[in-house]
Amino acid sequence: MDSLAQTIKQHKNATVPASRPIPVLEIFGPTVQGEGMVVGRKTMFVRTAGCDYRCAWCDSAFTWDGSAKDDIRLLSAEHIMAELDQLGQDSYDHVTISGGNPALLPQLAELIDQLHAAGKKVALETQGSKWQDWFLAIDDLTISPKPPSSQMETAWDRLDDIVAKLEAKRSRFCMKVVVFDEADLAYAKQVHRRYPHAPFYVQAGNDQLAEQDAERLLPHLLSRYQWLIDQTMDDAELKSVYVLPQLHTWVWGNKKGV
């Protein structure tokens, strides 16, 4: 029996039988979190397939456009745990569940429970289009509604409901908006006004997704980040704001699985 099979068996012996499988495109790490409230945090990644949005500038379109359909694996929570342990060994204590939109998957509750039982913290980002009760169990939850440049419409009533539920339970979460232009920045300020008690992040968008040379991409990303800093420093509506780059693209460019 190989090491992964042995680890899966150990996880199964320690937990209840798996329920609905989870559609997984990537499991990788350890690496650093490149976005959101725990930027720079050492973490493992589990990227799920499927999304209810079709953002014009999506940097993970392969999760929903069909181009990676042959790479989707339907995995139990036990198998995911075993793969994380095989990759990360004893060098990690944090896992980021990414997508697509992982909020489409109610069966993630089992994985989150098993990660917590193993002493791991869990981060997750979603656009705030769908509620899952397991949101309340996420240690680092980022709600990232999509601005006008995405060409998506925000369902404000659903977003209001999600934020109200999180605030009522005093959950650890933040709001984050990716900004490409002035219209996006105006949208970001609208989000900040609407949810003034939530920690608020703006992040410079990457509009060069086809560039495969990381050294050529970095100066452009730096200029985008500098522009966003300049836009926010003198803005009276953005006193309580964190201004972020997309850190992993600075280091690895548009490479997947890092």
Side-chain angles (χ1 to χ4, degrees):
M1 184 181 296
D2 63 32
S3 59
L4 179 58
Q6 284 181 321
T7 311
I8 293 171
K9 184 176 180 181
Q10 290 169 359
H11 280 296
K12 284 185 175 179
N13 289 340
T15 57
V16 296
S19 55
R20 199 184 330 173
I22 298 165
V24 174
L25 275 167
E26 295 182 298
I27 299 176
F28 61 92
T31 185
V32 294
Q33 173 58 257
E35 305 183 2
M37 66 195 302
V38 288
V39 63
R41 177 68 155 92
K42 183 179 180 180
T43 190
M44 300 290 292
F45 269 86
V46 177
R47 186 182 300 281
T48 62
C51 192
D52 50 334
Y53 275 24
R54 301 291 184 266
C55 294
W57 38 251
C58 180
D59 61 0
S60 303
F62 63 92
T63 63
W64 51 261
D65 67 5
S67 62
K69 64 180 185 300
D70 293 337
D71 297 327
I72 297 172
R73 295 182 294 157
L74 298 177
L75 303 181
S76 67
E78 290 85 1
H79 193 123
I80 294 170
M81 292 288 295
E83 225 172 285
L84 287 167
D85 285 348
Q86 186 182 53
L87 288 170
Q89 301 293 315
D90 60 354
S91 66
Y92 77 102
D93 65 357
H94 190 274
V95 175
T96 299
I97 302 173
S98 184
N101 184 10
L104 299 178
L105 304 172
Q107 65 267 41
L108 283 176
E110 184 176 1
L111 176 61
I112 294 162
D113 287 346
Q114 290 191 27
L115 287 167
H116 283 153
K120 316 299 184 185
K121 291 189 175 181
V122 183
L124 184 139
E125 180 172 318
T126 179
Q127 59 262 41
S129 60
K130 184 174 177 58
W131 170 263
Q132 293 290 351
D133 288 342
W134 51 252
F135 279 9
L136 301 176
I138 299 295
D139 300 288
D140 305 308
L141 178 62
T142 298
I143 306 295
S144 183
K146 305 309 177 189
S149 62
S150 71
Q151 300 178 19
M152 297 291 105
E153 293 290 331
T154 301
W156 293 106
D157 55 344
R158 277 184 245 160
L159 191 55
D160 289 346
D161 182 62
I162 288 170
V163 172
K165 287 177 178 176
L166 292 170
E167 290 184 335
K169 296 295 185 179
R170 298 186 178 181
S171 294
R172 174 174 160 78
F173 79 101
C174 75
M175 307 298 297
K176 187 194 84 175
V177 176
V178 178
V179 174
F180 285 84
D181 53 31
E182 289 81 2
D184 288 354
L185 191 60
Y187 174 92
K189 289 191 277 189
Q190 180 184 2
V191 171
H192 193 30
R193 286 193 300 268
R194 197 175 186 104
Y195 313 113
H197 302 298
F200 186 63
Y201 295 74
V202 290
Q203 178 180 299
N206 175 9
D207 58 359
Q208 297 292 324
L209 298 178
E211 178 58 70
Q212 295 304 307
D213 186 334
E215 292 185 3
R216 290 182 59 185
L217 179 62
L218 180 56
H220 178 73
L221 297 177
L222 279 168
S223 69
R224 298 297 303 147
Y225 185 45
Q226 290 168 343
W227 173 83
L228 186 56
I229 291 172
D230 290 342
Q231 294 297 306
T232 56
M233 291 304 102
D234 295 328
D235 196 314
E237 292 188 78
L238 293 172
K239 292 187 179 78
S240 301
V241 64
Y242 298 84
V243 186
L244 298 180
Q246 198 177 36
L247 183 62
H248 58 284
T249 60
W250 285 23
V251 181
W252 294 290
N254 290 314
K255 185 178 178 182
K256 288 171 54 179
V258 291

